[in-house]
Amino acid sequence: MNLIEDRWIPVRRADGSTTRIRPAEIVGGASPVVALHAPRPDFNGALAQFLIGLLQTVAAPEDEYDWNDRLEQPPTQEELTSLFASVAFAFNLDGDGPRFMQDLEPDMGGEPAKVPIASLLIDSPTEAAIGKGTDLFQKRETIQGVCRECTATALFTLHTNAPSGGSGHRTSLRGGGPLTTLVVPQDQSATLWSVLWWNVLEQPEFLGNASVGVVTDWFPWLSKTRTSKNDEVVTAADGHPALVYWAMPRRIRMDFQATREGRCDLCGRAVSQLLERYLTRPHGMNCTDWMHPLSPYYADKQGVWLPTHPQDGGIGYRHWPDLVVGRQGTSRPARVVEKGVNRQRGAQRIWSFGYDMDNMKARCWYEAYLPWIELPDPAHRPLLSGLAANLVDAAMEAKDALLFALRKAWFSPHNKTRGDMEFLSMAYWARTEADFYNLLWQFAEAMSARQQESLEAARIDILQAWHGVLCRQSFGLFDQWAASGMMEYENPARLARAHHQLAGRLYGVKLRETILGLPPKEKTQSTKKRRSR
C-alpha cells in the first residue's frame, strides 16, 4: 500500500457522500471534498496535519502572491499528482524497502517486542490499567484487527501525539498530547483544500535559513534510525524544518506476517488483511528545541518557549488570548494562526484540538472552534489582545471567588470534604462565553469607528460591562447551587456569610481596579460619614 498512490483517506463531499481518496484528490471531482471523515476525531486531526505537512514539504507556495493565487484557484489533480509523485517512494506502508514512519531495519537492531495493534491508539488502556482492572471506558481487547488504511492513520497519529510510553519510549516532537490550532474558513461548507491551504506557509518563511534539501532530509525513515539510547537529540539546528511534520519518536515496524481476514474494528469494513500486532523497541528519535508551526507556545519561568497542551475543562474563551492573539512575553499563537490572521482575508475560525494527557493516560480528547475577531488595522491587535487578557483574568478571579463561596456555603469551617467542582466551572464558562465575544466584537467595531484617543473610553465601557456580566452570572450560579440541597441540611447563617464574602470579592479592589483597571468607585455620602465617626 502506498499512501500517495492509493485511496485511503476517508472524506465527505459537498453532496453528502463519503468516500476514500488519495492525497492529490483533495481537489477536483464532480462534488468537491469538504471535510475529513475518519472513524475517530483524533484521526481527523492527524489526517489534516498529514496533508498540511505533505503540502508544506513538496508544494509550498513561493511567496504571498503564489499563496493567494492557489487559494483562489486551486491546483488540478494532475498538478498535485505530479508534485506528490516525487516523494511517493517514501510513502510505502509495507514492502521490503523503507516503510512510512517505520524503522528501516526489519529487526530494529535487536529483539523487538510484539505488541497488540490496539497499542497504536493513544486512548488504548495501558498495561497497568489492565492489570488493575481500571480499563472502564476503553475496554481491553475491543480493538484486535485493523485494516491497512486505519493502521496508516493510527501510526501517524501516534507519532504526532505520542505520550510517554515508559522507559525509552519517547514523546512526540511537541511532547505528549500537544494542542494543535489551525486556521479554517468561517464558512463550514468551504472545501478541504481551503482548510488545508490556510495552514501552509510560504516556502521562505517555513525554511528560514535552511535550504530546500533532499528527500532523505525530510523523512527520517529513509535512513537508519537516529536513536536516543545514548542521549542523542535532534535539534532544530541539525534537522531539516520539514522534520516537524515527520518526526519518529517511536521505533515501530508493522507486522504484516500476522494478518487475517475480517472486519476492521475501527472503520467496520470487511478486508482481506487485518493487522493484529506490530514490533517495537525503545529509544526512538528525541527531538528538542523545535517550534512547530501548528502549535501555540507559552514561556516557562526561565523564559523558554514550550508547546501548549490541553488541560482539564476543555478549550474555551478563557484560552482565546493565548491561542489566537498571544500575550506579550508569555504566550504565542501558532505560526499558521499568526500568519493567517495577518492575511486579512475575511472571517476565519481557529480549530483547536488535542489530547489531555496524564502522563501515559489519555484523560480526554478536546476539540473546539474559536472565532477570530477581524480588525480593520492589524496595528490594533495589541489593544485587542490586552483587553481580552483583562477580561479573561477577571473571569478567572470571579470564578475562583464563586467556587470559594460555594464551599463556604456548603461546608462548615472544620469540614475537610474535598471534591471535583469542575461541573461548576464549566457552567460558569458557558454562561459567560457569549458576552465575552460580544464585547470583543463591540471593541473591534469601536476601533474602526473611533479615533485613537477615544478608544480608552470605549475600553472602559467594555470593562464596566464585563464586570456587570461576571457579577450577575456569579450571583446567579451561587443562588442556584448554594441552596440546592435539602432544607434540613442548610445553614442560613452560613449561606448569608458566604454570599457576603462573594460580594466582597466581586466588588473588591482586586477585581475592579487591579485586574480590570477600572477607576475607583466614588464613595457615597453615607460611607464617608461612617468612616468619619
Side-chain angles (χ1 to χ4, degrees), residues 278-432:
Y278 62 93
L279 312 177
T280 186
R281 290 198 70 197
H283 306 295
M285 291 179 67
N286 185 13
C287 295
T288 63
D289 221 18
W290 292 77
M291 295 287 283
H292 199 291
L294 306 184
S295 269
Y297 282 75
Y298 70 95
D300 67 7
K301 294 180 180 178
Q302 286 73 44
V304 177
W305 290 100
L306 301 173
T308 302
H309 295 254
Q311 300 295 325
D312 246 355
I315 304 166
Y317 81 81
R318 62 191 182 280
H319 303 109
W320 195 90
D322 297 310
L323 303 187
V324 181
V325 290
R327 299 193 192 210
Q328 184 65 36
T330 60
S331 64
R332 295 177 181 173
R335 256 204 296 167
V336 294
V337 172
E338 193 169 38
K339 182 69 177 179
V341 298
N342 277 337
R343 285 180 167 132
Q344 297 287 300
R345 295 276 310 210
Q348 310 300 323
R349 297 179 297 162
I350 309 302
W351 178 22
S352 305
F353 54 85
Y355 272 107
D356 171 21
M357 301 297 302
D358 179 13
N359 197 13
M360 297 170 62
K361 182 175 66 176
R363 291 187 294 200
C364 191
W365 169 263
Y366 288 122
E367 189 169 349
Y369 287 90
L370 303 177
W372 164 243
I373 309 298
E374 190 172 2
L375 298 175
D377 183 352
H380 286 155
R381 188 182 305 161
L383 293 174
L384 184 69
S385 173
L387 176 67
N390 281 149
L391 301 186
V392 169
D393 291 345
M396 294 292 289
E397 169 65 16
K399 186 263 298 182
D400 291 344
L402 171 64
L403 299 189
F404 180 82
L406 284 171
R407 286 189 180 276
K408 291 292 184 182
W410 286 340
F411 308 118
S412 67
H414 304 294
N415 192 316
K416 303 300 181 183
T417 299
R418 302 179 65 182
D420 186 0
M421 300 180 75
E422 188 59 36
F423 70 100
L424 285 171
S425 296
M426 293 178 70
Y428 171 88
W429 295 123
R431 286 200 181 190
T432 52

Side-chain angles (χ1 to χ4, degrees), residues 403-530:
L403 299 189
F404 180 82
L406 284 171
R407 286 189 180 276
K408 291 292 184 182
W410 286 340
F411 308 118
S412 67
H414 304 294
N415 192 316
K416 303 300 181 183
T417 299
R418 302 179 65 182
D420 186 0
M421 300 180 75
E422 188 59 36
F423 70 100
L424 285 171
S425 296
M426 293 178 70
Y428 171 88
W429 295 123
R431 286 200 181 190
T432 52
E433 182 176 43
D435 287 298
F436 173 82
Y437 290 122
N438 287 337
L439 290 173
L440 286 189
W441 279 113
Q442 287 180 33
F443 191 61
E445 291 171 359
M447 283 190 279
S448 60
R450 302 188 187 192
Q451 298 297 318
Q452 184 71 30
E453 55 270 15
S454 65
L455 283 179
E456 181 59 19
R459 192 180 73 86
I460 293 298
D461 289 343
I462 296 295
L463 294 171
Q464 291 276 20
W466 183 238
H467 182 249
V469 169
L470 297 181
C471 292
R472 182 173 65 254
Q473 297 297 351
S474 297
F475 283 129
L477 284 168
F478 181 88
D479 292 341
Q480 176 183 339
W481 289 100
S484 59
M486 298 178 68
M487 183 63 68
E488 58 266 33
Y489 294 108
E490 291 178 2
N491 186 316
R494 196 165 63 223
L495 290 177
R497 285 194 298 270
H499 189 278
H500 181 73
Q501 289 174 330
L502 176 60
R505 288 185 64 174
L506 292 177
Y507 293 106
V509 171
K510 181 179 180 181
L511 178 58
R512 277 188 48 83
E513 300 175 27
T514 305
I515 298 178
L516 286 172
L518 292 170
K521 294 183 68 175
E522 293 186 9
K523 298 180 176 63
T524 63
Q525 193 65 30
S526 58
T527 302
K528 292 177 182 178
K529 287 181 179 179
R530 284 199 303 270

Side-chain angles (χ1 to χ4, degrees), residues 181-195:
T181 52
L182 305 179
V183 181
V184 298
Q186 182 70 32
D187 181 4
Q188 296 185 34
S189 64
T191 63
L192 180 60
W193 167 261
S194 64
V195 170

Side-chain angles (χ1 to χ4, degrees), residues 84-105:
F84 295 162
S86 64
V87 296
F89 74 95
F91 283 78
N92 291 316
L93 185 67
D94 51 8
D96 297 329
R99 294 180 179 181
F100 174 73
M101 283 197 152
Q102 299 170 63
D103 255 47
L104 185 62
E105 302 171 86

Side-chain angles (χ1 to χ4, degrees), residues 208-231:
N209 296 324
S211 63
V212 173
V214 295
V215 176
T216 51
D217 294 333
W218 307 338
F219 308 124
W221 57 89
L222 296 179
S223 55
K224 187 175 180 180
T225 302
R226 296 176 65 175
T227 68
S228 54
K229 188 171 184 178
N230 298 317
D231 295 326

Side-chain angles (χ1 to χ4, degrees), residues 61-330:
E62 294 180 0
D63 51 34
E64 186 75 22
Y65 297 105
D66 189 20
W67 185 91
N68 277 296
D69 289 345
R70 288 302 194 186
L71 182 67
E72 295 173 1
Q73 184 62 48
T76 64
Q77 279 188 21
E78 290 72 23
E79 289 175 309
L80 282 186
T81 297
S82 177
L83 286 169
F84 295 162
S86 64
V87 296
F89 74 95
F91 283 78
N92 291 316
L93 185 67
D94 51 8
D96 297 329
R99 294 180 179 181
F100 174 73
M101 283 197 152
Q102 299 170 63
D103 255 47
L104 185 62
E105 302 171 86
D107 66 351
M108 293 186 257
E111 297 271 338
K114 297 177 181 179
V115 182
I117 194 70
S119 296
L120 276 183
L121 305 175
I122 291 174
D123 59 346
S124 180
T126 63
E127 290 183 13
I130 293 174
K132 295 176 182 177
T134 56
D135 53 328
L136 303 177
F137 301 103
Q138 182 67 30
K139 301 294 288 184
R140 71 191 79 179
E141 299 181 357
T142 56
I143 307 297
Q144 295 184 306
V146 178
C147 69
R148 288 169 177 252
E149 292 83 353
C150 287
T151 294
T153 309
L155 180 62
F156 183 80
T157 304
L158 178 59
H159 279 304
T160 303
N161 300 283
S164 173
S167 178
H169 292 276
R170 300 294 178 188
T171 62
S172 81
L173 178 140
R174 295 174 280 174
L179 180 68
T180 297
T181 52
L182 305 179
V183 181
V184 298
Q186 182 70 32
D187 181 4
Q188 296 185 34
S189 64
T191 63
L192 180 60
W193 167 261
S194 64
V195 170
L196 301 173
W197 195 243
W198 265 101
N199 298 283
V200 176
L201 300 170
E202 294 86 351
Q203 193 174 97
E205 184 168 341
F206 178 68
L207 291 176
N209 296 324
S211 63
V212 173
V214 295
V215 176
T216 51
D217 294 333
W218 307 338
F219 308 124
W221 57 89
L222 296 179
S223 55
K224 187 175 180 180
T225 302
R226 296 176 65 175
T227 68
S228 54
K229 188 171 184 178
N230 298 317
D231 295 326
E232 180 184 359
V233 297
V234 180
T235 68
D238 60 9
H240 192 274
L243 194 66
V244 295
Y245 292 103
W246 311 112
M248 292 170 51
R250 299 295 181 86
R251 300 189 65 186
I252 289 173
R253 184 94 175 169
M254 303 312 302
D255 189 351
F256 287 95
Q257 304 303 314
T259 63
R260 60 179 172 83
E261 185 179 353
R263 287 192 176 275
C264 174
D265 288 327
L266 290 175
C267 68
R269 291 183 311 128
V271 296
S272 60
Q273 274 196 324
L274 290 176
L275 281 86
E276 297 183 298
R277 70 187 185 194
Y278 62 93
L279 312 177
T280 186
R281 290 198 70 197
H283 306 295
M285 291 179 67
N286 185 13
C287 295
T288 63
D289 221 18
W290 292 77
M291 295 287 283
H292 199 291
L294 306 184
S295 269
Y297 282 75
Y298 70 95
D300 67 7
K301 294 180 180 178
Q302 286 73 44
V304 177
W305 290 100
L306 301 173
T308 302
H309 295 254
Q311 300 295 325
D312 246 355
I315 304 166
Y317 81 81
R318 62 191 182 280
H319 303 109
W320 195 90
D322 297 310
L323 303 187
V324 181
V325 290
R327 299 193 192 210
Q328 184 65 36
T330 60

